[in-house]
Amino acid sequence: MAGAKELMMGSFMVERTAFVPSTRLVFGPHLQNKLCFSPVLVSERRVGSVRRGSVAAISQDFVRVVSEKPVKFKVRAVVTVRKKNKEDLKETINKHLDALTDKLGRNVVLELVSTEIDPNTKAPKRSNEAVLKDWSKKSKIRAERVTYTAEFVVDSSFGVPGAITVTNKHQNEFFTESIVVEGFACGPVHFVCNSWVQSRKDHRRKRVFFSNMPYLPSETPPGLKSLREKELQELRGDGKGFRKLSDRIYDYATYNDLGNPDKGIDLARPALGGKEIPYPRRCRTGRLPSDTDINAESRVEKPLPMYVPRDEAFEETKQETFATWRLKGVLHNLIPSLIASISAENHDFKGFADIDSLYKEGLLLKFGFQDEIKKLPKVVSKIQESSQGLLKYDTPKIVSKDKFAWIRDDEFARQALAGINPVNINRLEAFPPISKLDPAVYGSPESALKDEHILGNINGMSVQQAIEENKLFILDYHDIYLPFIDRINALDGRKAYATRTVFYLTSEGTLKPIAIELSLPSSKRVLTPPVDATSSWLWQLAKSHVCSNDAGVHQLVNHWLKTHACMEPFILAAHRQMSAMHPIFKLLDPHMRYTFEINALARQSLINAGGVIESCFTPGQYCMEISAAAYKDMWRFDLEGLPADLVQRGVAVPDSTQPHGLKLLIEDYPYAKDGLLIWSAIENWVRTYVQHYYPDAVLIQNDMELQAWYHESVNVGHADLSHESWWPELKDAESLISILTTLIWLASAQHAALNFGQYPYGGYIPNRPPLMRRLIPDEKDPEYLKFLDDPQRYFLSALPSLLQSTKFMAVVDTLSTHSPDEEYLGERNQPSTWTGDTEMVEAFYEFSAEMGSIEKEIDQRNSDPRLKNRCGAGVLPYELLAPSSNPGVTCRGVPNSVSI
């Protein structure tokens, strides 16, 4: 048997049998010198790609039972490490030290862990420890990826490796992409890692990576049970202490770090989360409280990093892309900021040509600020002279095809169906609309809208007839804004109404606005489509106030709250409660990428006190309170799926004869039409996956990790709403399919539809002003004469100032950008090895192919002249739900996750 140390690679056929006897099997005479192996008892239920009752089978002609001792043989691990492109001085010094000391025993050590228990020690079988070879020799290789090997000696009774431990005795961390163990009878064993391995000086415990075979908790091989439990305990942490950037601990905290009371009372903000102000939970950092408020967590300001678990941080490609666009944003905003600081005036746009020059000429050259530019430091003047490429903005798509499209009523209405916020249009079910606010606090709930306001624009119908024939629709921002209006209007340079806009559905399938209600706590006013020059400018101002309302709800509620903040608890709970071996964790994994990091960056500089959101949106310091009010009164997880949302808004009705089981009441509704294609594809993929692992509801009910994940998501992550009766019960395959489909939809398609059009639509400020600075004058207003004298100047003075505009444009330009390392829906990192279940690998390839078919269908729709909301002269095609994209600002592409 000396030849048993030799290795023959290959795979084995499978046949149906209940188990393999516990005696060791050896191949017949012509193969016995090639390979020895030990049999493994296989579960009666399907495990991985092996079907029920199947085991690796060997023809009886080649098997004989023997009782001799196990024979040792060699196996090899191939470790792929992704190298850093940029290192700081400390990392460079440590790299050279690591290369030197690796030869002296301070190296990287691996150990295989079997799926079996050693009958003598009652502990998992383990291989010898093996050192990664040639670390020192390969330290100067400049390739993006470097492979290392380690050799183990195992005996034929070892079984199959189910885990591998890694001990890093170096000074620097390193990124392990994958490990492949070669030499076992089952063929290569894959370990998908994608993780930073920390130095032992920072983290004493060995890192554990599990093979890509999926196991429900009840099916965990005996040799992996304790490791599975210990790994989850380590990821949960103990809820105490300050989190180091190298930690991998996932825990919960409230949003008590948005304010900065140590810098002044004007930067203090209430904590979001708890009985007083319900809100989802975010990832805990453990930072000390601020000096002036023990309940507020101290701030970490740019450029210092915020804590996220180490593997959740942006990878280098993403970091570089984000840094480049952030630099571009800084340069865009640098000169306007400095000029604002030395100039007494808050510069307004003097004409539309000034706005156009932002895209054609670069900043300020045509603004008449030569005197101010001369006062700037010489270094800034040189930046202005030498960086015109960076200082110019790209022309937003909304004005690239038709410069004046934004002025038209049909485009204003079209964007409610195919713009950046197509999720607030509702069917008008009663007229006039009624407020749900407390009349004792907010006055009469009745609207100022009357029949006479709309009768002339509904094609001769009565109002009731138009309602019954599903011809009237509404954007209603009355109830979400009115409680805040007085406080907003008391802010310097901020003015707002609580608006309602009524639309009529034409025979062409397009909407047209027929009335706008503008409400203040003390008064209500209704404007209708213009009949002369004066009413045209008033109508344009009214539409701009609607757009400002819409921009606020889009950013604070639909985008940030519903796709960023509300997703984070589900991701936290997944890492805390489901092992990386769990099939559902493997399903969700690509849809959780980068979400912690982008949310942390948002807390640092977007949604914080004095941050971009407060600076650029009408509600100012009350922005996040509006977001919290929407969470308390409007958010329901059971209505976050696309079909339920469309039905709840009254724009669709259930109809089993229609594709996707719904009939759209606005047939040419691009967001809904394309969204249903993607929703159905996700649902079918999830259904295939769930039914593969859970053929019986009892398996779901008894899956302790799965149940703990959902319970913690609801009762800890969304603790403030956990008492609500609308939460789905996780009891069977259908409920699990619904929950998972909703989460994947929100992380991918819903976020894409709400995010990647921000600059293409919002980068031209008059199309979609994020804030307004003036109310609409009436004849009794002293400013009415100024308005009549120069309505264009009045209109532009009501829009954001130059500084506010450039700041907003720079940020949404960054947020609308796809990174080169983006993974899109239908794509996965390591697509053939992300799971060891070959049947599910094939099912995923089918899902990927379906994404390609959907993209072709979307392209065809965008070329169909009958669909006037996405095709026509100067009309932008609707591509926000087209699955693929190139890097950059493309107004298309559906990444897997909330990654920007």
Side-chain angles (χ1 to χ4, degrees):
M1 294 296 291
K5 292 183 180 180
E6 298 174 31
L7 176 65
M8 176 177 173
M9 300 298 297
S11 58
F12 301 99
M13 299 175 62
V14 295
E15 66 178 25
R16 296 181 66 83
T17 181
F19 65 91
V20 178
S22 59
T23 50
R24 189 169 61 85
L25 301 181
V26 182
F27 283 99
H30 68 293
L31 290 180
Q32 76 175 34
N33 288 338
K34 297 294 183 182
L35 179 64
C36 295
F37 77 102
S38 81
V40 181
L41 182 63
V42 179
S43 168
E44 282 294 313
R45 219 192 54 71
R46 181 180 306 178
V47 177
S49 60
V50 183
R51 293 185 176 277
R52 186 173 308 194
S54 299
V55 296
I58 299 89
S59 169
Q60 295 299 315
D61 294 336
F62 298 106
V63 178
R64 62 189 175 86
V65 178
V66 296
S67 57
E68 56 193 73
K69 294 181 180 181
V71 176
K72 296 185 180 296
F73 62 99
K74 288 182 180 179
V75 296
R76 183 179 76 151
V78 180
V79 181
T80 301
V81 172
R82 189 187 304 160
K83 299 193 73 174
K84 286 186 176 181
N85 294 325
K86 295 180 180 179
E87 298 172 333
D88 60 29
L89 179 61
K90 181 180 178 182
E91 289 172 330
T92 301
I93 293 172
N94 284 340
K95 182 177 73 173
H96 293 300
L97 283 174
D98 289 340
L100 178 65
T101 59
D102 187 81
K103 299 176 181 179
L104 305 176
R106 283 177 51 181
N107 40 32
V108 178
V109 180
L110 279 65
E111 184 181 40
L112 299 178
V113 182
S114 173
T115 57
E116 300 179 12
I117 293 290
D118 187 317
N120 297 320
T121 65
K122 309 301 181 185
K125 296 178 181 178
R126 293 177 180 265
S127 71
N128 63 301
E129 291 188 340
V131 173
L132 278 192
K133 297 180 179 179
D134 299 328
W135 187 282
S136 178
K137 185 187 298 184
K138 295 181 177 181
S139 64
K140 295 182 180 179
I141 292 178
R142 294 184 178 274
E144 183 181 1
R145 291 172 176 82
V146 179
T147 58
Y148 303 90
T149 61
E151 287 189 351
F152 305 88
V153 176
V154 297
D155 63 45
S156 51
S157 66
F158 182 80
V160 177
I164 189 167
T165 66
V166 182
T167 303
N168 176 13
K169 298 179 183 178
H170 291 165
Q171 296 292 309
N172 279 342
E173 64 179 2
F174 61 87
F175 188 85
T176 308
E177 197 168 79
S178 65
I179 302 173
V180 181
V181 178
E182 302 167 337
F184 285 92
C186 57
V189 181
H190 293 272
F191 297 80
V192 179
C193 307
N194 293 318
S195 181
W196 291 96
V197 178
Q198 300 302 319
S199 170
R200 189 172 63 174
K201 67 182 174 61
D202 296 317
H203 294 270
R204 301 295 300 175
R205 293 192 181 100
K206 296 179 179 180
R207 274 304 306 277
V208 176
F209 296 107
F210 296 105
S211 79
N212 65 349
M213 287 302 296
Y215 297 104
L216 297 177
S218 60
E219 296 171 339
T220 309
L224 303 180
K225 283 184 177 179
S226 61
L227 279 178
R228 183 172 186 151
E229 293 169 3
K230 287 178 182 177
E231 175 73 357
L232 284 175
Q233 289 171 2
E234 193 168 318
L235 291 171
R236 292 180 199 127
D238 59 7
K240 301 176 182 177
F242 173 75
R243 296 273 65 85
K244 298 181 295 183
L245 294 177
S246 59
D247 285 345
R248 295 171 58 242
I249 294 176
Y250 299 78
D251 203 356
Y252 300 92
T254 61
Y255 281 76
N256 65 342
D257 64 341
L258 301 182
N260 195 348
D262 290 347
K263 282 194 172 182
I265 190 65
D266 58 317
L267 293 178
R269 296 291 182 270
L272 306 183
K275 290 183 179 179
E276 290 187 14
I277 307 180
Y279 212 63
R281 299 301 186 261
R282 48 95 175 175
C283 185
R284 179 182 177 275
T285 69
R287 296 196 304 269
L288 294 173
S290 66
D291 294 335
T292 54
D293 184 354
I294 195 171
N295 296 314
E297 191 171 87
S298 56
R299 294 279 303 166
V300 173
E301 304 294 358
K302 294 184 297 183
L304 296 176
M306 295 267 279
Y307 169 77
V308 295
R310 183 64 183 98
D311 292 337
E312 308 301 329
F314 287 166
E315 293 176 16
E316 269 195 306
T317 302
K318 180 79 168 183
Q319 287 177 353
E320 290 168 3
T321 302
F322 201 78
T324 299
W325 286 92
R326 177 178 276 177
L327 173 61
K328 186 176 178 181
V330 168
L331 289 173
H332 273 143
N333 216 39
L334 173 64
I335 295 171
S337 297
L338 289 171
I339 287 178
S341 70
I342 63 176
S343 174
E345 296 182 42
N346 185 12
H347 293 289
D348 297 331
F349 295 108
K350 295 182 175 63
F352 289 102
D354 285 353
I355 300 174
D356 295 342
S357 69
L358 292 174
Y359 318 110
K360 295 178 180 178
E361 310 287 346
L363 286 171
L364 305 176
L365 294 185
K366 299 295 183 182
F367 279 64
F369 295 156
Q370 286 80 2
D371 292 339
E372 284 92 338
I373 291 175
K374 291 175 182 176
K375 299 176 186 176
L376 296 177
K378 287 185 178 180
V379 65
V380 178
S381 298
K382 289 187 179 295
I383 290 175
Q384 168 70 16
E385 293 168 5
S386 62
S387 304
Q388 282 302 297
L390 280 174
L391 293 173
K392 280 198 296 186
Y393 289 87
D394 295 327
T395 301
K397 280 197 171 186
I398 185 60
V399 289
S400 65
K401 294 187 72 173
D402 183 348
K403 184 176 178 180
F404 303 105
W406 66 275
I407 298 174
R408 298 197 314 265
D409 283 1
D410 62 281
E411 178 62 23
F412 170 75
R414 190 192 71 84
Q415 291 184 32
L417 301 174
I420 191 54
N421 189 39
V423 297
N424 278 109
I425 190 77
N426 282 255
R427 180 166 58 90
L428 187 58
E429 299 182 17
F431 190 86
I434 300 293
S435 171
K436 296 178 182 178
L437 296 174
D438 184 355
V441 178
Y442 299 105
S444 172
E446 294 182 3
S447 168
L449 287 162
K450 305 298 180 187
D451 287 12
E452 56 265 27
H453 291 130
I454 65 174
L455 279 174
N457 289 290
I458 54 177
N459 205 28
M461 294 181 178
S462 69
V463 175
Q464 188 58 36
Q465 183 183 5
I467 289 174
E468 291 172 358
E469 295 189 18
N470 302 320
K471 292 290 188 179
L472 295 180
F473 294 84
I474 189 170
L475 283 178
D476 191 343
Y477 298 127
H478 179 277
D479 285 6
I480 192 168
Y481 271 95
L482 195 67
F484 296 90
I485 287 294
D486 277 343
R487 284 181 283 171
I488 292 171
N489 288 339
L491 297 173
D492 184 35
R494 307 295 171 102
K495 290 293 180 280
Y497 298 97
T499 67
R500 290 187 177 109
T501 308
V502 180
F503 299 88
Y504 174 72
L505 180 63
T506 71
S507 58
E508 297 292 318
T510 59
L511 295 177
K512 70 173 183 179
I514 58 176
I516 296 175
E517 180 185 39
L518 305 163
S519 293
L520 300 171
S522 58
S523 64
K524 297 177 182 180
R525 179 180 182 183
V526 176
L527 275 71
T528 55
V531 294
D532 56 27
T534 300
S535 57
S536 291
W537 280 107
L538 293 173
W539 180 248
Q540 200 64 47
L541 280 164
K543 288 193 297 180
S544 294
H545 273 282
V546 172
C547 288
S548 177
N549 272 192
D550 187 77
V553 170
H554 160 258
Q555 197 68 266
L556 303 173
V557 181
N558 300 328
H559 180 205
W560 164 255
L561 171 67
K562 292 187 176 184
T563 68
H564 283 259
C566 287
M567 278 295 297
E568 188 161 342
F570 290 98
I571 300 174
L572 277 168
H575 285 280
R576 288 167 52 84
Q577 300 297 342
M578 285 195 290
S579 167
M581 289 189 282
H582 200 292
I584 301 304
F585 186 91
K586 290 181 179 294
L587 174 70
L588 290 176
D589 188 38
H591 307 291
M592 302 188 290
R593 185 182 188 221
Y594 290 156
T595 302
F596 288 116
E597 174 83 344
I598 195 62
N599 285 4
L601 289 170
R603 298 201 318 273
Q604 188 174 46
S605 58
L606 292 180
I607 64 172
N608 60 302
V612 171
I613 299 299
E614 288 192 1
S615 300
C616 296
F617 288 84
T618 302
Q621 68 188 63
Y622 306 109
C623 279
M624 293 308 293
E625 290 185 53
I626 288 179
S627 182
Y631 178 68
K632 177 184 177 183
D633 299 329
M634 297 168 56
W635 186 79
R636 286 181 52 162
F637 181 75
D638 62 325
L639 298 179
E640 288 301 292
L642 179 60
D645 171 61
L646 294 173
V647 171
Q648 181 263 336
R649 289 192 282 121
V651 295
V653 292
D655 186 341
S656 60
T657 68
Q658 297 289 319
H660 320 296
L662 289 179
K663 178 183 179 182
L664 291 174
L665 300 183
I666 305 174
E667 290 187 17
D668 183 14
Y669 186 174
Y671 159 78
K673 292 282 282 190
D674 295 358
L676 286 169
L677 290 176
I678 292 181
W679 171 274
S680 294
I682 294 171
E683 186 177 48
N684 290 338
W685 156 235
V686 172
R687 185 178 304 280
T688 299
Y689 195 90
V690 167
Q691 290 179 344
H692 180 72
Y693 293 103
Y694 298 102
D696 193 313
V698 173
L699 291 168
I700 290 175
Q701 295 159 13
N702 292 340
D703 187 332
M704 301 308 293
E705 285 184 9
L706 183 71
Q707 293 292 338
W709 162 68
Y710 186 62
H711 181 271
E712 185 173 287
S713 298
V714 175
N715 291 283
V716 181
H718 288 280
D720 305 332
L721 298 182
S722 61
H723 61 281
E724 297 289 355
S725 60
W726 42 255
W727 283 102
E729 182 182 356
L730 180 53
K731 59 183 179 180
D732 54 23
E734 284 305 311
S735 59
L736 179 57
I737 291 165
S738 176
I739 291 166
L740 294 173
T741 302
T742 298
L743 290 173
I744 294 172
W745 161 260
L746 290 170
S748 58
Q750 182 76 337
H751 178 259
L754 295 168
N755 183 75
F756 292 103
Q758 289 191 83
Y759 186 78
Y761 280 96
Y764 188 73
I765 295 297
N767 177 62
R768 190 175 173 77
L771 68 81
M772 295 293 285
R773 293 185 292 151
R774 289 193 176 195
L775 296 175
I776 300 174
D778 59 30
E779 295 179 2
K780 300 176 183 178
D781 195 315
E783 291 202 327
Y784 190 71
L785 291 177
K786 291 182 181 179
F787 162 72
L788 290 177
D789 184 56
D790 193 342
Q792 176 179 288
R793 190 180 185 90
Y794 189 95
F795 177 79
L796 291 172
S797 71
L799 300 184
S801 68
L802 169 65
L803 178 58
Q804 291 167 330
S805 296
T806 55
K807 187 173 188 176
F808 174 76
M809 290 162 64
V811 170
V812 295
D813 192 20
T814 301
L815 297 181
S816 302
T817 301
H818 288 294
S819 171
D821 73 338
E822 202 85 84
E823 292 175 8
Y824 297 94
L825 200 58
E827 299 177 350
R828 283 197 73 134
N829 189 13
Q830 296 152 318
S832 62
T833 57
W834 63 273
T835 176
D837 188 334
T838 56
E839 193 170 334
M840 289 301 96
V841 170
E842 290 302 316
F844 182 77
Y845 281 135
E846 292 176 10
F847 172 64
S848 180
E850 181 64 17
M851 287 299 107
S853 299
I854 287 172
E855 186 153 317
K856 291 178 182 177
E857 173 66 21
I858 290 173
D859 289 342
Q860 290 175 1
R861 290 175 176 180
N862 285 327
S863 301
D864 188 343
R866 296 171 298 175
L867 304 178
K868 300 186 186 302
N869 289 319
R870 62 197 308 162
C871 181
V875 174
L876 290 186
Y878 188 73
E879 297 180 308
L880 285 167
L881 290 175
S884 71
S885 175
N886 292 321
V889 180
T890 63
C891 202
R892 62 175 292 139
V894 181
N896 278 321
S897 62
V898 179
S899 59
I900 189 66

